[in-house]
Amino acid sequence: MPTPHPINSLGFAKPPSETRVVVAMSGGVDSSVVAAQLAEEGYDVVGVTLQLYDHGAALAKKGACCAGQDIHDARRVAEAMGFPHYVLDYENIFKDAVIDEFADSYLAGATPVPCIRCNERVKFKDLLATARDLDADCMATGHYIQRKLGAGPELHCAADANRDQSYFLFSTTPEQLEFLRFPLGHLPSKDATRKLAAKYGLAVADKPDSQDICFVPNGNYASVIEKLRPGAAEPGEIVDTEGNVLGTHRGVIHYTIGQRRGLGIGGLADPLYVVRLDVDKRQVVVGPKDLLATRTIPVREINWLGNGAFSNKAEREISVKVRSTRPPVPAILRPISETEAEVELLTAEEGVSPGQACVFYETGGSRILGGGWIWKGR
């Protein structure tokens, strides 16, 4: 009998040359290093870049991912390392699955996270299906997160907590996790990634990281909403929690929960914060900071990555993140159904907003147990 081939670095019992891997290439240094490293290791690499919007469109900005220059940079890496590279036009899919919901959520008074929806509905859905169509054994990305094997594949935080992208990947399903690989998740720092880029002679080795949401120039959400939904930003009143009118605003889309600056209601004895957005009445409701504190969070559209069935009604002690920039905090998770739950924070958090994600982590460990979307509740 032939001797079984040892497991390669991507987890397959065959030579790298017989292992096809599609690499999702954004044109940045992270995905470029993944593609170059796998190509050097002898894998059958196919690079794929998604054009998510017309790089000449009003929404795009200089340095945005998945448009003009980045597509060119990804192509240069593929040419330098000698593997095929394809650009797929996903503009309509991206608009329907991500941009339109982003606009509608803002108009409904929520604070959406389109990067999560892009991973969920475009990169890990349509692109992953394309990788299967190309007879790939797996798809690799430049995300900073780790895939480890337990009873099955598990999702774990990146080794570098400063680069960890688990908040944006909680909706990855167990089936997708079987097919995905994250070669950078174990690296100690972004500097280590750039050193690898220099080692491979990549032109993008010193390329700056992309900032903000790719289709939102300079973080100005309101200007994008106004372009997508002309006339939707109607003026209204700024009121306190008792309904007293304190001023006027240019449109609810210009405000977020927890905002203090730019309210235009100066001269008051105590600082006021946005505590609620009432879209139906076109009102921005403001109040003292203590009204921002939240202990109970309703969560829906839950994706469960932990062991066992989610909806067995047993409450669990976990840790959760309610913002990408905040560390996980202790909480109690109480399932309501297969896709809904109540999360009780042991210590109140400020600025919890509908439309944001609530991501579940094992307490004292690195494993991501899933997560869902914060909503206003019943």
Side-chain angles (χ1 to χ4, degrees), residues 142-154:
H143 289 107
Y144 287 88
I145 197 164
Q146 298 187 80
R147 175 187 183 273
K148 297 183 179 181
L149 293 178
E154 300 175 352

Side-chain angles (χ1 to χ4, degrees), residues 7-344:
I7 302 295
N8 63 33
S9 64
L10 292 178
F12 299 97
K14 54 184 176 180
S17 60
E18 297 176 12
T19 305
R20 175 168 292 178
V21 51
V22 165
V23 179
M25 300 182 68
S26 68
V29 63
D30 299 324
S31 58
S32 296
V33 165
V34 168
Q37 184 175 45
L38 294 176
E40 187 184 67
E41 290 177 14
Y43 285 97
D44 178 11
V45 173
V46 178
V48 176
T49 300
L50 303 182
Q51 179 176 308
L52 299 182
Y53 49 83
D54 182 350
H55 59 80
L59 292 180
K61 69 178 186 291
K62 183 179 180 181
C65 79
C66 306
Q69 182 61 44
D70 283 324
I71 292 174
H72 174 68
D73 288 342
R75 183 179 293 118
R76 283 200 300 168
V77 169
E79 289 174 352
M81 299 303 297
F83 59 82
H85 174 256
Y86 302 97
V87 178
L88 305 181
D89 182 358
Y90 273 43
E91 186 174 348
N92 290 336
I93 292 173
F94 186 65
K95 181 179 184 299
D96 293 342
V98 180
I99 294 180
D100 283 344
E101 182 188 70
F102 171 83
D104 293 339
S105 294
Y106 250 97
L107 290 175
T111 308
V113 191
C115 297
I116 297 175
R117 290 302 197 192
C118 182
N119 289 325
E120 173 188 330
R121 297 177 174 177
V122 181
K123 293 177 182 176
F124 290 177
K125 183 183 176 185
D126 293 286
L127 178 54
L128 193 145
T130 297
R132 293 187 187 277
D133 290 341
L134 292 171
D135 294 325
D137 293 284
C138 63
M139 186 173 87
T141 79
H143 289 107
Y144 287 88
I145 197 164
Q146 298 187 80
R147 175 187 183 273
K148 297 183 179 181
L149 293 178
E154 300 175 352
L155 205 59
H156 287 255
C157 296
D160 179 6
N162 293 322
R163 305 297 303 180
D164 177 63
Q165 292 176 290
S166 59
Y167 184 84
F168 300 100
L169 296 170
F170 80 87
S171 61
T172 306
T173 67
E175 293 75 21
Q176 292 167 344
L177 199 52
E178 288 276 0
F179 196 69
L180 288 164
R181 301 293 187 273
F182 308 106
L184 302 184
H186 69 286
L187 294 181
S189 67
K190 182 60 177 271
D191 185 56
T193 304
R194 294 196 181 279
K195 287 180 179 177
L196 285 173
K199 169 188 170 183
Y200 300 130
L202 303 183
V204 296
D206 297 320
K207 185 175 181 177
D209 291 339
S210 59
Q211 301 294 325
D212 300 318
I213 298 168
C214 65
F215 59 90
V216 179
N218 304 315
N220 190 343
Y221 301 151
S223 67
V224 172
I225 305 302
E226 289 171 338
K227 290 175 182 176
L228 292 168
R229 302 288 188 269
E234 299 183 27
E237 299 170 335
I238 299 176
V239 301
D240 63 20
T241 54
E242 297 180 353
N244 299 309
V245 178
L246 304 179
T248 59
H249 64 76
R250 296 179 294 130
V252 172
I253 64 171
H254 293 276
Y255 302 86
T256 57
I257 304 296
Q259 181 177 335
R260 175 186 173 188
R261 299 182 183 279
L263 300 181
I265 51 173
L268 300 174
D270 299 312
L272 296 177
Y273 299 77
V274 176
V275 297
R276 191 171 73 254
L277 299 173
D278 191 326
V279 176
D280 294 334
K281 295 181 180 179
R282 301 202 308 274
Q283 289 182 335
V284 174
V285 183
V286 297
K289 188 175 184 180
D290 63 316
L291 291 184
L292 291 172
T294 301
R295 289 266 319 256
T296 303
I297 305 173
V299 182
R300 62 183 177 182
E301 291 185 61
I302 287 171
N303 178 57
W304 180 245
L305 293 172
N307 298 330
F310 176 72
S311 59
N312 62 9
K313 302 299 188 293
E315 65 179 38
R316 301 171 172 88
E317 293 184 2
I318 61 170
S319 295
V320 302
K321 269 190 182 186
V322 293
R323 290 280 182 88
S324 63
T325 54
R326 294 181 182 176
V329 296
I332 297 173
L333 175 65
R334 298 188 177 96
I336 296 172
S337 70
E338 291 184 355
T339 58
E340 289 184 295
E342 178 185 271
V343 172
E344 179 187 346

